[in-house]
Amino acid sequence: MLFSNFFAPTSKDVPANAEIASHVLMLRSGMISQTASGIYCWLPLAVRVMEKIEKIICEEQDRIGAQKVYFTTVQPVSLWIESGRYDSYGKEMLRLKDRKDNDFLYSPTNEEQATDVFRKYVKSYRGLPVMFYQIHWKFRDEIRPRFGVMRGREFLMKDGYSFDIDFAGAKKTYDAVFRSYVRTFRRLGLTPIPVQADSGAMGGNMSHEFQILAATGESTLYYDKKLLTTSDDELMTIFAATDEKFDHKTCQVSEKDLMSSKGIEVGHIFYFGTKYSKSMGAFVLNKNGEKIYPEMGSYGIGVSRLVAAIIESSHDDRGIIWPESVAPFDLTLLNLHPRDDRCTIAAEKIYETFCGHQEVLYDNRDVSVGEKLADADLMGMPWQIIIGSSNIGDGLVELKNRKTKEIVKMSLENVIGKFMSKCYCPQNC
Ligand code: P5A
């Protein structure tokens, strides 16, 4: 991608209304544009990150047999009247009317719709277990939208819904999703802290939040420091709690192992048994021809929130530092002196060689050296290849690691070799 064609309205100015780093950096790097309180347009740089996050989520959902669908963003209220949630959901629900005066709502979540699709088609125990998921926009009329897309009113969620024949099956599914969420968040470069939680508006009696540590998080967490180093299978059994549930007197963790920190909730999973299947009459017949109401769970990841949460956990005073797995481009190629033919020939050689192998943002703009260097650090690609008049005479370019800030001089051939030999096999060897 040529930077001269790329729609990334970057800015040096710190926006007045942005309180946390991710909000400032998303605005300054031209990732989002506010339309109304808690409602944002997503611009190309942000979309590239979101699509990488979505791909990782989809791969991990596929691995546990969840199947992708699209429910709708607009739902008839009748489904919610059946489940009993129409009145209880309250003012966060955006209510709509069509031209015939029929009542609709914009989906804040889709338990009812998932149950409706299930009951129409699955009539026998043979159709179980089954799990649907989607990655789709939600609207919640939050009383206090804040921190940019971190707590928006319109936001992108991965939401999954599972149906099992009995509690044992449902627990197995819940545990599989739990482990798959840990894998997903780790692949995104994050350290998830699973915390036992209340199930609130979703109902039910088993629930975990997935928090990531960040000084600007809205939750306060207490946890056993073993959580940061433990294997996946033990995670569910190690202590972590939010401050609402934490009690110093009953806490079993020793003083030296107990950590406290702020967290951002990036995921939340729920087991709620037959709450929706019973209220909405979604039953199947078991082997003996008896009616069984499936045991259900629902599983959410805040996809748009994750973009901000990743920035919160990975930035410095110059800008964003993207983990490689979600970086909008693999590298920025900076041609510091585009009017010097030697620089332009070298830059174009790299750009053309990498085409189809590496995702490159080629800064070919006719702007100052300072602006190019500042934008590259602000936008945060993991690597920068910097080509300037002073080095190119010796056949050299600079390779900068955005995270460590280390800069090494290399020959043009070596820098090409380094990136072209990168292995992309599934084992990531
Ligand atoms: C689980 C999937 C649910 O809605 N129903 C379907 C369940 N859970 S939840 O905890 O309410 O939301 C899931 C995740 O969505 C993110 N999230 C938000 N992101 C940005 N702005 C918001 N206003 C917002 N509200 C929720 C969170 O990451 C949450 O864990």
Side-chain angles (χ1 to χ4, degrees):
M1 176 68 65
L2 298 179
F3 203 144
S4 56
N5 291 339
F6 190 57
F7 188 80
T10 59
S11 154
K12 282 204 282 286
D13 305 327
V14 177
N17 57 350
E19 294 164 59
I20 61 171
S22 57
H23 191 192
V24 171
L25 292 172
M26 288 183 82
L27 289 168
R28 283 193 51 216
S29 61
M31 292 175 73
I32 50 172
S33 167
Q34 187 173 10
T35 284
S37 167
I39 304 180
Y40 291 84
C41 298
W42 290 74
L43 304 183
L45 192 68
V47 169
R48 294 181 75 98
V49 176
M50 201 122 88
E51 284 176 351
K52 300 234 160 120
I53 297 175
E54 288 181 47
K55 183 159 181 282
I56 290 175
I57 292 175
C58 291
E59 284 169 9
E60 293 302 330
Q61 289 298 299
D62 214 30
R63 197 195 283 270
I64 56 168
Q67 295 161 66
K68 193 170 186 183
V69 299
Y70 283 113
F71 296 120
T72 63
T73 52
V74 174
Q75 306 180 32
V77 301
S78 53
L79 292 174
W80 288 63
I81 291 170
E82 274 190 82
S83 75
R85 276 209 291 185
Y86 187 59
D87 293 322
S88 64
Y89 210 88
K91 289 203 163 198
E92 273 190 16
M93 180 184 279
L94 180 65
R95 292 155 211 259
L96 312 162
K97 276 196 192 291
D98 72 3
R99 65 165 76 197
K100 293 184 186 141
D101 223 25
N102 294 316
D103 290 311
F104 286 87
L105 57 98
Y106 195 101
S107 301
T109 177
N110 294 69
E111 279 78 5
E112 284 76 0
Q113 238 187 349
T115 310
D116 184 47
V117 169
F118 175 89
R119 74 180 166 184
K120 279 189 201 149
Y121 302 104
V122 185
K123 307 286 182 193
S124 148
Y125 70 95
R126 286 194 194 87
L128 294 171
V130 66
M131 176 152 49
F132 306 122
Y133 80 99
Q134 64 169 349
I135 298 179
H136 220 189
W137 294 94
K138 303 282 182 285
F139 194 95
R140 291 183 186 172
D141 203 350
E142 297 272 351
I143 188 162
R144 213 169 292 110
R146 59 182 194 151
F147 301 153
V149 300
M150 193 73 89
R151 179 170 294 284
R153 290 197 295 167
E154 187 178 71
F155 59 97
L156 192 63
M157 192 198 290
K158 173 265 158 180
D159 43 326
Y161 306 89
S162 68
F163 301 81
D164 276 274
I165 191 81
D166 54 18
F167 175 74
K171 177 75 170 85
K172 205 167 141 207
T173 300
Y174 185 92
D175 291 351
V177 176
F178 181 100
R179 282 193 299 272
S180 118
Y181 273 29
V182 171
R183 274 186 69 91
T184 303
F185 294 127
R186 290 198 175 145
R187 283 184 66 186
L188 298 173
L190 301 168
T191 304
I193 308 276
V195 181
Q196 269 192 27
D198 289 327
S199 26
M202 303 304 144
N205 55 17
M206 183 163 55
S207 167
H208 282 89
E209 284 171 12
F210 289 83
Q211 299 268 351
I212 59 153
L213 304 180
T216 49
E218 292 188 287
S219 326
T220 303
L221 310 176
Y222 292 89
Y223 60 95
D224 186 332
K225 74 174 180 208
K226 279 200 231 59
L227 262 180
L228 301 176
T229 49
T230 195
S231 73
D232 295 7
D233 286 339
E234 288 164 350
L235 270 179
M236 212 187 255
T237 58
I238 295 178
F239 174 81
T242 51
D243 55 348
E244 300 111 50
K245 287 196 148 187
F246 180 69
D247 182 351
H248 250 295
K249 285 188 225 97
T250 54
C251 179
Q252 308 269 318
V253 182
S254 74
E255 203 64 44
K256 74 173 185 5
D257 287 342
L258 188 67
M259 312 282 284
S260 171
S261 133
K262 295 280 182 192
I264 300 171
E265 183 199 312
V266 290
H268 201 157
I269 61 177
F270 305 84
Y271 159 77
F272 40 70
T274 56
K275 176 175 154 71
Y276 298 91
S277 53
K278 268 205 178 124
S279 61
M280 296 181 68
F283 62 84
V284 298
L285 298 182
N286 71 7
K287 277 187 187 140
N288 306 321
E290 297 152 350
K291 273 189 188 175
I292 298 285
Y293 290 97
E295 299 272 337
M296 291 177 60
S298 75
Y299 315 94
I301 295 179
V303 180
S304 50
R305 173 177 290 184
L306 267 171
V307 178
I310 291 169
I311 297 175
E312 244 3 275
S313 79
S314 185
H315 68 271
D316 64 13
D317 53 349
R318 303 219 9 118
I320 303 167
I321 305 171
W322 290 114
E324 293 204 6
S325 60
V326 297
F329 295 91
D330 298 314
L331 59 112
T332 303
L333 173 62
L334 293 88
N335 182 356
L336 297 186
H337 304 111
R339 293 178 198 188
D340 179 339
D341 284 349
R342 296 169 310 166
C343 292
T344 300
I345 288 168
E348 284 179 359
K349 177 162 184 202
I350 293 180
Y351 187 57
E352 277 156 27
T353 312
F354 284 5
C355 181
H357 299 277
Q358 299 285 326
E359 291 176 341
V360 181
L361 180 63
Y362 171 24
D363 195 345
N364 61 338
R365 294 173 304 164
D366 195 11
V367 301
S368 75
V369 168
E371 190 170 342
K372 286 192 180 174
L373 294 171
D375 276 350
D377 281 350
L378 173 64
M379 293 161 92
M381 270 36 105
W383 297 98
Q384 297 170 17
I385 297 176
I386 305 169
I387 302 178
S389 296
S390 55
N391 290 317
I392 202 67
D394 303 323
L396 297 177
V397 302
E398 289 180 330
L399 177 65
K400 175 172 170 180
N401 180 313
R402 174 68 184 88
K403 189 170 174 185
T404 62
K405 301 189 177 76
E406 192 190 4
I407 299 178
V408 286
K409 279 190 192 170
M410 295 175 96
S411 69
L412 192 60
E413 287 67 38
N414 281 357
V415 88
I416 290 176
K418 176 180 161 64
F419 283 94
M420 294 300 287
S421 65
K422 235 185 186 177
C423 178
Y424 281 104
C425 73
Q427 288 75 31
N428 202 17
C429 61

